Amino acid sequence: QYSTSEREDIMAVTLFPLKPENMFGLDFETYGAVDLTVHGLERYVSDPHFRVLRVGMATLGGATNIYDLDWVCNESTAIERLEELLRKRYYIVAHNAGFERRVLKKLGLDIAAKRFIDSAVCASALGAARALEAAAPQLLQGHKMEAGKNLIRLFSIPSKERVQNGELEFDKELIEDNPRDWDLFGRY
């Protein structure tokens, strides 16, 4: 006799074995007026100025498809594609997956924790660093994009001037003024 939770786990493993074709990678780029490193995830995501900027997704297994969805300019298309992958693929692979899970919940998509594979935890279990910029070269002979920190400062964090002026909403003019950087941010 199995509990409801145990039956769900058995069904998930039976219907969705841990294979690449049942997984997809997920990475949100967001904007927030609250300092995530100081105040933590819950306060960051709950702040009224929080918003999703972009979402990167990659299907694994078979033909790999990479999607960069511009949430600011095409929110309805982005959410449709995200919901489609959530229906088709059971496991969600993300670095520091608690962040992606909380953002999904903010978007009204409450996904069970057991569907997430946290690549930071996997890296640590393999003896690598948990931070992506350190783990990538240790495990993949790849590097996180050098320009990433500058792109985050440009798009994800309000400037000191804007904060001092009480302008905490995301400024869409940043996209218009920096179209190449916005495109690069999508590849980040």
Side-chain angles (χ1 to χ4, degrees), residues 13-137:
V13 171
T14 304
L15 295 173
F16 303 102
L18 198 57
K19 295 181 178 179
E21 55 270 15
N22 290 329
M23 301 177 193
F24 77 97
L26 180 65
D27 183 33
F28 284 108
E29 299 302 335
T30 60
Y31 170 86
V34 169
D35 186 334
L36 174 63
T37 62
V38 172
H39 299 289
L41 179 59
E42 189 58 37
R43 188 161 164 201
Y44 176 77
V45 174
S46 297
D47 185 76
H49 302 103
F50 171 86
R51 73 171 300 161
V52 172
L53 300 176
R54 302 191 85 105
V55 60
M57 298 180 290
T59 58
L60 309 171
T64 299
N65 295 302
I66 298 173
Y67 306 93
D68 163 43
L69 302 174
D70 182 338
W71 205 275
V72 175
C73 299
N74 300 303
E75 183 174 339
S76 62
T77 301
I79 211 159
E80 286 173 16
R81 185 68 186 125
L82 176 59
E83 287 175 335
E84 179 184 338
L85 280 175
L86 286 169
R87 281 191 306 274
K88 288 183 177 180
R89 307 280 176 136
Y90 187 78
Y91 298 104
I92 302 158
V93 181
H95 206 78
N96 295 314
F99 181 83
E100 270 66 29
R101 183 167 184 242
R102 182 60 185 93
V103 172
L104 286 167
K105 187 173 183 177
K106 173 78 173 184
L107 297 172
L109 302 166
D110 194 6
I111 308 298
K114 63 187 170 191
R115 290 185 59 186
F116 285 85
I117 298 170
D118 191 326
S119 58
V121 172
C122 295
S124 181
L126 293 170
R130 287 182 61 102
L132 185 57
E133 48 281 330

